[in-house]
Amino acid sequence: AQSVTQLGSHVSVSEGALVLLRCNYSSSVPPYLFWYVQYPNQGLQLLLKYTSAATLVKGINGFEAEFKKSETSFHLTKPSAHMSDAAEYFCAVSDDTSYDKVIFGPGTSLSVIP
Amino acid sequence: DVKVTQSSRYLVKRTGEKVFLECVQDMDHENMFWYRQDPGLGLRLIYFSYDVKMKEKGDIPEGYSVSREKKERFSLILESASTNQTSMYLCASSLSGYGYTFGSGTRLTVV
């Protein structure tokens, strides 16, 4: 069964610094991959998705992620952090048996220091 | 934009009550899901549905049931609410491979 790991439950960056949130998945079968963001007391919002097209995926709010099959990774980056980026970020991968079902990672809480 | 609407943002219920959480989506999505979210445990899938009148158990279905009588509506039912069901409940819908659209969540407190 698929699983997702996110290295670091809490990440702090300074405003203007690079944001790097790590995600690794378990399967060797190319899956669909997603990043979601959750602001306090809200539902999750889709940031970007990889569905076997270009390996570098651009999303909303200046975020992008690169699919690396050899490393089974899908890390999320943003060149310059903004205060409004402070939120919880979830990596997710489609289930082995169904692209309709998604497995979520445990989440990384991003803090942005002024 | 696809909209997923959960009927209540905050709900307080008593132990033993039967609780209904409603979720409605307006974009004709086939798939609908119920998750609960707890600190340190992430999102855990309770039930999902790929079609009307169809349901499948997720990872933690115990104490819950669901109903999908119409394509746009997916209801989560707590048969007899208990304090360990105090949580944030998230509904989502999707088209295959396009990622989920989530509702704003219902924060349920069982006292």
Side-chain angles (χ1 to χ4, degrees), chain B residues 92-109:
Chain B
S93 72
S94 76
L95 284 173
S96 180
Y98 283 82
Y100 291 5
T101 300
F102 281 88
S104 299
T106 296
R107 189 168 291 283
L108 173 67
T109 302

Side-chain angles (χ1 to χ4, degrees), chain A residues 20-86:
Chain A
L20 171 60
L21 303 181
R22 299 178 188 274
C23 172
N24 289 86
Y25 62 94
S26 60
S27 175
S28 59
V29 175
Y32 290 178
L33 293 155
F34 310 87
W35 275 99
Y36 289 86
V37 60
Q38 185 180 32
Y39 299 102
N41 294 313
Q42 293 187 27
L44 280 70
Q45 179 184 3
L46 182 65
L47 267 181
L48 50 80
K49 62 178 183 279
Y50 166 78
T51 55
S52 73
T55 57
L56 183 63
V57 182
K58 294 189 184 298
I60 62 171
N61 302 338
F63 284 94
E64 61 182 35
E66 186 172 9
F67 171 65
K68 291 188 177 180
K69 184 179 176 182
S70 60
E71 299 177 8
T72 60
S73 70
F74 190 58
H75 302 330
L76 182 71
T77 60
K78 182 175 181 178
S80 177
H82 191 271
M83 296 298 294
S84 61
D85 294 327

Side-chain angles (χ1 to χ4, degrees), chain B residues 12-79:
Chain B
V12 179
K13 295 292 182 180
R14 295 193 180 279
T15 302
E17 274 193 79
K18 191 169 186 175
V19 180
F20 293 86
L21 302 183
E22 305 289 345
C23 176
V24 177
Q25 51 97 0
D26 65 359
M27 281 298 290
D28 205 35
H29 283 179
E30 299 289 340
N31 311 315
M32 297 190 74
F33 306 84
W34 275 106
Y35 287 85
R36 64 177 283 177
Q37 183 179 23
D38 301 286
L41 297 176
L43 277 79
R44 293 180 291 168
L45 181 63
I46 306 171
Y47 268 97
F48 59 103
S49 170
Y50 292 151
D51 201 354
V52 175
K53 296 191 185 294
M54 174 270 172
K55 60 185 178 184
E56 288 200 32
K57 293 180 179 178
D59 301 317
I60 52 162
E62 295 77 21
Y64 303 94
S65 62
V66 290
S67 172
R68 195 167 181 199
E69 296 296 319
K70 294 184 178 180
K71 191 174 186 178
E72 67 270 19
R73 185 181 296 270
F74 192 38
S75 303
L76 179 69
I77 304 155
L78 285 65
E79 298 291 342

